[in-house]
Amino acid sequence: MSNQSPKTLFDKIWSDHLVRQRDDGTSLLYIDRHFVHEVTSPQAFEGLKISNRSVHRPDATIAVADHNVPTINRQNIEDPQSKIQVETLAQNTKDHSIQYFDLMDQRQGIVHIIGPEQGITQPGMTIVCGDSHTSTHGAFGALAFGIGTSEVEHVLATQTIVQNPAKNMRISVNGDLPFGVHSKDLILYIIGKIGTAGGTGHVIEYAGSSVQSLSMEARMTICNMSIEAGARAGLISPDQTTFDYIKGRPYAPKDSHWDQAVEYWSSLPSDSDAHYDHEIVINSSEIDPMVTWGTSPEDVIAVNGTVPSPDSAKSENKKKSIERSLDYMGLKPGTKMTDIKLDKIFIGSCTNGRIEDLRKVASIVKDKKIASHVQAMIVPGSGLVKKQAEEEGLDTILKNAGFEWREAGCSMCLGMNPDQLKPGERCASTSNRNFEGRQGRGGRTHLMGPELAAASAIKGNIADIRDFS
Amino acid sequence: MDKFTTLQGIAAPLPIVNIDTDMIIPKQFLKTIKRTGLGVSLFYEMRYDTEGKLIEDFVLNTKPYDKSKILLAGDNFGCGSSREHAPWSLKDFGIRCVISTSFADIFYNNCFQNGILPIVVKAEELDRLMSAAGSQLEFNIDLPNQSIQVGNHSFNFEIEDHRKERLLQGLDDIGITLGYKEDIATYETDKKNQKPWLFGDL
């Protein structure tokens, strides 16, 4: 490809990070920022030690413990294995002079929340982390993707990763979002449309007026779940909204570097005649508030819909998969989604644990009480999100409504810490995965946005925010 | 890394689509700081009941599939979390080859880092292999020739050359990349000039 040929945002970031092609034909891509957490890194550091290798750029690496940490009683991690993992990260970062936000640091939180919050995440960067939801950072126009532990070791040792170029897919959503429809609904709708393998081998660029009108928080929710559409990464063009969000944050470029950076960032949006391997155009008026009924994020339906029947499946495989999901979820075809009774509400995660999400929930539950049979929990995405929410008085509103107010972490999104569903318990969750056993063995997860989850907490059933007053 | 050249044995059929890495190795086993010892927990919730007893009719709990080196599964195998614990647990159990119609990207990559061969086949081929696996026929996987042979049926599969080479030779990827140390240094010098804001201390 010559420098003159039109390029997508992905193509531009790719070519700007290509160190060279290796003799085996693969590309060596430079990595600008590497986020490290306690669960997927210990074996990588161990590998470095065994091979007597060092960390190539400790100054481009940042670490935090989030997956495994308790959201109450922070001083003492009761689970001995979790404790060892967190301590191992602390030791490894100390040994290699890597910046580490420890559990008592207010900046601690979910790795994909704190990167943007600290201004570490910036347009045009390549960012990796041993975590599939690294796609979140794509909201800034950064090429960000999840990697395995062996690749974590590779990046630690070389600051590069071995890749082949991805294909370009563009999903454009146009028009004003209808009443009650927000970014989580938009991405769930997209996943329902293209399926959990729909983006395999691709980087998805989200475009169109609906996407451009969104805040950074809302854009992050969309890019976060690109992995649930099977994509390697999600991207949104950086614009003034992006620059305004970054400016002044602790790790943002300063002074003359700021001007230089903005100039570079402004050159990143895809050229108007750039080629995409795959294009999808969606009119926002098609989209309703969405909720999942099954055990894959593609098992999604409008909240005013009904549980589908296996007979509606287009293939035998799909039919079997619906039957298995319905059996696991304890649901019958034809049941109205809004008739489904809930036991738990989880608000948080790297998908929806930011300040804007908490504000939305607070505005919906203000001066109301959650249904008497539900337990509702809010886990802010970071210590700073928690602090800000407390400064705005959101914690009081939420606690008065009956929510538990916790410390930051991944919590019940994956239930590595004590926050888990019990067998058969049904949860409205603002997280990203409704897999079998994801939130606890036998637990039943309905994914939705924070607005729906808040309304559902009050009703005690899955609720349509459009009928909620 | 362990080499992979050829593999013979029976294959375990697991005809479920979208098997995610949470199913392959649930969260409670991610607290380890080692790569080994995860085989006993592979497919934990499908293999053991809530009291930890073996679920007898799950394929990997039945003879002779409890010694399978090959696994056959439905579309989009390995979707979800990036946890490399998924291939670690497969390998620790003894599985060195997974055959499906499609794999999620990160899982697919992770397999090659661990000497596991993921093979993509067409849907009708998978159906045929599933029934052969059900009949406990011996599979012969031949990476140099890129072929699967079962009974008197044989066909070829595709694999990128660089991935094939790495498996055949058991190459250390980091070692290869460190051979390009000077290229990386040159890149860094150039970028420090062009994008200085990326090189301040975090």
Side-chain angles (χ1 to χ4, degrees), chain A residues 306-308 326 329-336:
Chain A
T306 58
V307 176
L326 293 183
M329 293 296 289
L331 291 174
K332 292 203 165 45
T335 307
K336 284 175 71 180

Side-chain angles (χ1 to χ4, degrees), chain B residues 116-127:
Chain B
I116 296 175
L117 172 64
I119 302 180
V120 178
V121 297
K122 293 197 179 78
E124 56 271 22
E125 284 165 353
L126 186 70
D127 288 345

Side-chain angles (χ1 to χ4, degrees), chain A residues 230-400:
Chain A
R232 207 177 285 181
L235 280 172
I236 294 175
S237 233
D239 58 12
Q240 196 57 45
T241 306
T242 320
F243 309 154
D244 291 345
Y245 180 95
I246 298 170
K247 192 163 192 182
R249 291 186 183 263
Y251 293 90
K254 305 269 178 322
D255 308 320
S256 65
H257 282 171
W258 171 260
D259 298 329
Q260 229 178 327
V262 170
E263 193 188 335
Y264 171 68
W265 298 344
S266 304
S267 73
L268 291 169
S270 297
D271 298 330
S272 57
D273 44 357
H275 169 75
Y276 291 87
D277 301 283
H278 201 62
E279 284 241 42
I280 294 171
V281 179
I282 294 168
N283 185 329
S284 65
S285 64
E286 297 168 29
I287 309 173
D288 289 284
M290 304 296 284
V291 58
T292 62
W293 54 266
T295 55
S296 164
E298 71 185 21
D299 298 340
V300 68
I301 196 164
V303 66
N304 58 350
T306 58
V307 176
S309 161
D311 298 330
S312 67
K314 288 186 185 123
S315 68
E316 192 55 30
N317 267 344
K318 187 69 198 167
K319 186 179 173 189
K320 274 195 215 152
S321 141
I322 295 178
E323 284 167 351
R324 186 183 167 95
S325 287
L326 293 183
D327 182 49
Y328 181 87
M329 293 296 289
L331 291 174
K332 292 203 165 45
T335 307
K336 284 175 71 180
M337 291 308 295
T338 48
D339 283 344
I340 296 172
K341 197 175 166 187
L342 298 163
D343 304 302
K344 289 207 167 151
I345 313 289
F346 171 65
I347 289 167
S349 85
C350 56
T351 316
N352 284 117
R354 285 170 281 271
I355 189 68
E356 196 174 87
D357 302 310
L358 271 44
R359 285 185 192 131
K360 281 177 191 161
V361 173
S363 73
I364 291 164
V365 305
K366 191 172 195 295
D367 302 326
K368 296 189 177 66
K369 291 279 181 206
I370 60 169
S372 58
H373 65 274
V374 301
Q375 187 198 351
M377 176 164 108
I378 297 211
V379 182
S382 72
L384 289 174
V385 168
K386 181 169 188 263
K387 178 170 173 260
Q388 188 171 350
E390 287 169 353
E391 282 167 7
E392 294 178 19
L394 304 181
D395 60 321
T396 312
I397 295 171
L398 294 163
K399 282 189 272 192
N400 285 344

Side-chain angles (χ1 to χ4, degrees), chain B residues 9-13 59 65 68-72 99 129 133-134 136-137 139:
Chain B
I10 52 138
V59 64
Y65 299 112
S68 299
K69 295 175 193 167
I70 302 162
L71 181 71
L72 299 179
I99 305 176
L129 292 176
Q136 302 178 11
L137 294 183
F139 281 50

Side-chain angles (χ1 to χ4, degrees), chain A residues 16 22-23 26 30 43 53 56 59 79 85 149-150 154 164 201 414-416 433 437-438 441, chain B residues 22 27 30-32 34-35 45 48 80-81 84 105 160 162 172-173 177 180 187-188 191 195 201:
Chain A
D16 208 28
R22 297 201 311 185
D23 294 339
T26 57
Y30 195 78
Q43 296 86 351
R53 289 170 176 149
H56 182 73
D59 65 307
D79 182 327
Q85 223 171 31
T149 298
S150 298
H154 191 284
N164 283 325
L414 85 166
M416 269 193 83
R433 288 187 177 136
R438 170 78 177 181
R441 184 170 186 155
Chain B
D22 276 80
K27 56 190 144 283
L30 309 189
K31 295 177 184 174
T32 176
K34 302 285 170 203
R35 284 178 156 95
E45 291 181 6
Y48 303 94
S81 156
E84 201 162 314
D105 284 340
E160 290 163 283
H162 70 94
D172 166 22
D173 216 17
T177 297
Y180 298 103
Y187 176 92
E188 286 175 332
K191 292 300 162 187
K195 298 191 277 189
D201 256 12

